[in-house]
């Protein structure tokens, strides 16, 4: 009988090696975590002890890559074969029984705690929440009715995701809008200008510093003339303070060119507008259609540690809320607005007053 130890990153991998080398008749004697450290490139290793009564056929030896590594491993034991068929059969039966037990244990190991997961854990995974956050959030939840659990989850999220109050127009605001290209900065400015100007009766000034993109200033001027709000073009960040002085207004909304995170010059220029304007708020417009990592990287690079509030744009186009939920938990930046479509001025809502939190928890269409 040949008894030999095989190792792998998983028990299954070690078993495949055993079958490969000893043949299909090989039986499993034991399995578990590997006891030596030759697999030092891996974090964990597993070993199986397998046996066969048959001589190794030369054609079933492992391929070169496998054989090279196997041959350098220490064998636990190699025993000689027995010539007594009955004794061999008894031992074979014992070994088969052992094998059956081990098979059960292995299948338990390979399907870890599935039945024990919190029911909301799978719900959060289906919304594409990061596994790390899904596990952490559901760790706080008691077992019980799904609705009660969702309400508890909502409470937990309200403690962790800060919502900033909307611009009221009660005090003067100088708000600079930054964000990646096409995020919806200019459209959001038009929506807010309309809300604050037409609905709340505040005086509004629009300033664009976007002189890079063709027709960028015309886009804002068109909105300005429809809303009957003055629009001025600042060619340099240094020109912004003079316009603010010359056109006194309750609310000044300042547009900047869209920035790519690979263009540090553009990012610096947007932040220079923030500095020169002496902004009271900086709104970082971020598309809710981004993946978690793109959202987090872009938000960090564009805001460069200055305090910003988020305006989540295009939530109507986001298929699931999980990536954004995960990103918000990671970023810990307050959310002030959510934009829900292309319509000016309707498709915007305050994060505090709108559907954001319940959408993050339940998913589905934003206004479903
Ligand atoms: N579906 C949807 N589309 C939006 C939303 N907000 C803006 N858009 C659209 O997104 C496109 C880009 O909007 P802009 O406001 O020009 O974006 P921007 O960030 O100013 O773009 P740049 O100045 O080029 O960086 C336009 O077609 C908008 O109509 C939204 O909430 N939902
Ligand atoms: Mg724009």
């Amino acid at each position: 009988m040949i008894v030999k130890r095989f190792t792998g990153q998983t028990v299954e991998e070690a078993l495949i090696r055993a079958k490969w080398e000893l043949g299909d008749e090989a039986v499993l004697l034991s399995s578990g975590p590997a006891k030596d450290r030759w697999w030092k490139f891996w974090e964990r290793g597993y070993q199986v002890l397998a046996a066969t009564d048959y001589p190794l056929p030369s054609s079933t030896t492992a391929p070169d890559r496998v054989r090279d590594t196997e041959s350098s491993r220490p064998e636990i034991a190699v025993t000689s074969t027995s010539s007594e068929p009955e004794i061999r059969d008894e031992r074979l039966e014992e070994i088969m029984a052992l094998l059956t037990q081990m098979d059960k244990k292995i299948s338990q190991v390979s399907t870890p705690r599935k039945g024990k997961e919190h029911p909301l854990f799978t719900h959060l995974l289906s919304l594409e929440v990061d596994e790390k956050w899904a596990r952490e959030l559901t760790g706080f939840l008691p077992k019980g009715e799904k609705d009660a659990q969702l309400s508890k989850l909502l409470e937990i999220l309200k403690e962790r995701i800060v919502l900033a109050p909307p611009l009221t127009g009660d005090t003067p605001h100088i708000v600079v809008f930054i964000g990646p290209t096409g995020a919806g900065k200019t459209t959001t400015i038009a929506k807010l200008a309309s809300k604050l100007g037409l609905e709340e009766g505040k005086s509004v000034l629009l300033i664009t510093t976007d002189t890079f993109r063709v027709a960028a200033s015309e886009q804002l001027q068109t909105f300005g003339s429809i809303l009957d709000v003055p629009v001025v073009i600042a060619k340099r960040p240094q020109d912004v303070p003079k316009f603010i002085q010359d056109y006194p207004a309750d609310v000044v909304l300042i547009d900047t060119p869209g920035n790519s995170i690979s263009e540090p010059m553009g990012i610096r220029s947007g932040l220079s507008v923030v500095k020169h304007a002496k902004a009271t708020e900086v709104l970082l417009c971020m598309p809710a259609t981004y993946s978690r990592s793109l959202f987090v990287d872009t938000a960090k690079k564009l805001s460069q540690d200055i305090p910003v509030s988020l305006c989540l744009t295009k939530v109507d186009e986001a298929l699931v809320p999980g990536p954004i939920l995960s990103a918000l938990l990671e970023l810990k930046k307050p959310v002030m607005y959510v934009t829900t479509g292309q319509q000016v001025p309707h498709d915007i809502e305050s994060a505090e007053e709108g559907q954001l939190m319940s959408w993050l928890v339940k998913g589905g269409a934003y206004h479903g």
Side-chain angles (χ1 to χ4, degrees):
M1 173 184 278
I2 296 168
V3 180
K4 192 166 178 184
R5 186 182 60 158
F6 296 86
T7 44
Q9 281 179 283
T10 61
V11 172
E12 286 82 350
E13 190 184 315
L15 270 175
I16 289 167
R17 285 168 187 267
K19 293 267 179 193
W20 187 287
E21 191 161 319
L22 300 184
D24 282 337
E25 294 77 11
V27 291
L28 179 67
L29 300 180
S30 70
S31 72
K35 292 196 175 62
D36 59 15
R37 301 211 126 263
W38 65 266
W39 66 93
K40 56 184 177 284
F41 298 114
W42 305 336
E43 286 178 9
R44 299 190 314 166
Y46 289 91
Q47 66 179 31
V48 299
L49 201 60
T52 183
D53 262 335
Y54 304 97
L56 289 182
S58 56
S59 59
T60 56
T61 50
D64 284 349
R65 194 176 58 79
V66 177
R67 197 172 55 232
D68 286 350
T69 52
E70 294 295 334
S71 61
S72 61
R73 291 179 215 162
E75 289 183 12
I76 283 186
V78 178
T79 61
S80 61
T81 54
S82 162
S83 58
E84 294 293 324
E86 308 84 49
I87 297 171
R88 198 176 61 200
D89 285 351
E90 271 174 26
R91 289 175 67 190
L92 208 57
E93 272 173 23
E94 274 174 34
I95 288 167
M96 285 307 286
L98 202 63
L99 178 63
T100 315
Q101 280 178 13
M102 292 310 300
D103 261 359
K104 277 189 196 152
K105 285 194 179 155
I106 289 167
S107 57
Q108 281 165 8
V109 170
S110 58
T111 51
R113 305 196 300 119
K114 262 218 170 100
K116 290 185 189 156
E117 294 294 7
H118 195 285
L120 277 201
F121 177 74
T122 34
H123 165 74
L124 289 176
L125 289 190
S126 75
L127 301 183
E128 295 182 19
V129 174
D130 247 34
E131 188 175 333
K132 172 193 142 191
W133 288 113
R135 206 171 284 290
E136 187 171 330
L137 291 171
T138 51
F140 293 102
L141 296 177
K143 294 259 157 70
E145 281 280 299
K146 188 175 179 192
D147 281 352
Q149 289 173 353
L150 284 173
S151 310
K152 180 76 187 148
L153 181 59
L154 202 58
E155 276 173 36
I156 293 169
L157 286 183
K158 279 179 182 164
E159 282 165 18
R160 290 178 168 223
I161 297 175
V162 181
L163 302 181
L167 304 169
T168 57
D170 291 344
T171 49
H173 292 282
I174 299 171
V175 192
V176 176
F177 290 73
I178 59 172
T181 48
K185 299 175 291 296
T186 309
T187 316
T188 303
I189 288 176
K191 290 169 182 173
L192 286 174
S194 170
K195 268 198 175 301
L196 295 164
L198 297 183
E199 291 175 24
E200 294 189 24
K202 302 295 167 193
S203 56
V204 178
L205 168 67
L206 303 183
I207 300 179
T208 179
T209 59
D210 188 353
T211 51
F212 298 94
R213 196 168 58 81
V214 179
S217 53
E218 285 85 341
Q219 187 188 3
L220 201 64
Q221 274 167 330
T222 307
F223 284 131
S225 63
I226 295 167
L227 303 170
D228 199 18
V229 163
V231 180
V232 291
I233 302 167
K235 292 209 171 91
R236 303 172 310 154
Q238 296 89 313
D239 299 335
V240 171
K242 188 174 173 339
F243 287 123
I244 295 176
Q245 208 179 3
D246 290 352
Y247 296 84
D250 298 326
V251 184
V252 181
L253 304 176
I254 305 174
D255 201 4
T256 63
N259 283 137
S260 151
I261 53 173
S262 56
E263 286 171 18
M265 277 284 284
I267 298 172
R268 275 202 293 277
S269 139
L271 297 178
S272 165
V273 174
V274 172
K275 193 180 90 187
H276 285 283
K278 295 197 171 56
T280 55
E281 281 95 4
V282 180
L283 265 182
L284 173 59
C285 293
M286 291 292 304
T289 48
Y290 275 18
S291 69
R292 179 202 58 79
S293 56
L294 183 61
F295 195 102
V296 170
D297 281 2
T298 307
K300 281 186 179 165
K301 287 204 174 114
L302 295 192
S303 62
Q304 302 263 316
D305 295 331
I306 61 163
V308 298
S309 293
L310 292 170
C311 173
L312 282 180
T313 59
K314 306 189 181 182
V315 290
D316 55 304
E317 290 183 3
L319 294 175
V320 281
I324 301 309
L325 172 55
S326 312
L328 293 179
L329 289 168
E330 195 169 333
L331 281 171
K332 300 192 179 79
K333 293 187 190 299
V335 188
M336 192 185 282
Y337 286 107
V338 175
T339 76
T340 58
Q342 292 181 292
Q343 300 285 329
V344 179
H346 305 292
D347 293 339
I348 187 164
E349 60 184 38
S350 143
E352 270 189 343
E353 291 153 17
Q355 312 276 310
L356 176 65
M357 296 308 272
S358 76
W359 177 68
L360 289 177
V361 166
K362 291 183 187 158
Y366 189 82
H367 279 141

